[in-house]
Amino acid sequence: EVQLVESGGGSAQAGGSLRLSCVAAASTFGPYCMAWFRQAPGKDREGVAAIDSDGSTTYADSVKGRFTISKDNAKNTLYLQMNSLKAEDTAMYYCAAESDWRYCSPASSFRYWGQGTQVTVSS
């Protein structure tokens, strides 16, 4: 089992930036498909971005050009840099990991999840 712990959430003004981090307690972080999801009150969970073992990334259309997913294998840490924030980005953000994957995207299935970190954007 992989334990994931998110941090970096908080409040920001519209147009501002935040960076989320997710530390994975895993013996080998590199081979995993990693992703960020979010869920706003009353809405379904939404896949935001994913990154595979080679560093290839995919994004939801709603965040393309504004968010960047990255990882540091040496630190077992996943990041989400969020720029040009909008009020509609307000949500609980979760990181997820999967070791048994063929195609890594926000639409993939993930077995391991963090507890989430809240992001609130005011307009």
Side-chain angles (χ1 to χ4, degrees):
E1 183 173 344
V2 178
Q3 292 185 327
L4 303 170
V5 179
E6 303 96 335
S7 62
S11 298
Q13 296 283 330
S17 299
L18 285 172
R19 188 175 83 155
L20 306 183
S21 299
C22 171
V23 178
S27 59
T28 55
F29 177 79
Y32 283 75
C33 169
M34 305 291 297
W36 287 98
F37 288 78
R38 66 186 181 186
Q39 188 166 21
K43 294 188 176 182
D44 292 336
R45 187 174 62 196
E46 175 190 19
V48 174
I51 185 166
D52 71 12
S53 56
D54 292 330
S56 296
T57 58
T58 55
Y59 296 91
D61 288 343
S62 58
V63 305
K64 278 181 182 176
R66 300 190 299 121
F67 290 10
T68 302
I69 188 172
S70 62
K71 62 177 181 171
D72 185 333
N73 290 338
K75 296 182 179 180
N76 276 15
T77 303
L78 177 73
Y79 302 100
L80 185 68
Q81 178 66 43
M82 305 185 294
N83 298 330
S84 302
L85 283 164
K86 303 176 181 179
E88 51 263 45
D89 294 320
T90 295
M92 184 72 79
Y93 282 72
Y94 301 89
C95 71
E98 177 56 53
S99 57
D100 184 16
W101 60 274
R102 288 188 176 184
Y103 181 68
C104 182
S105 83
S108 302
S109 297
F110 294 84
R111 284 181 289 169
Y112 308 112
W113 294 83
Q115 294 300 308
T117 186
Q118 178 68 39
V119 170
T120 302
V121 183
S122 56
S123 56

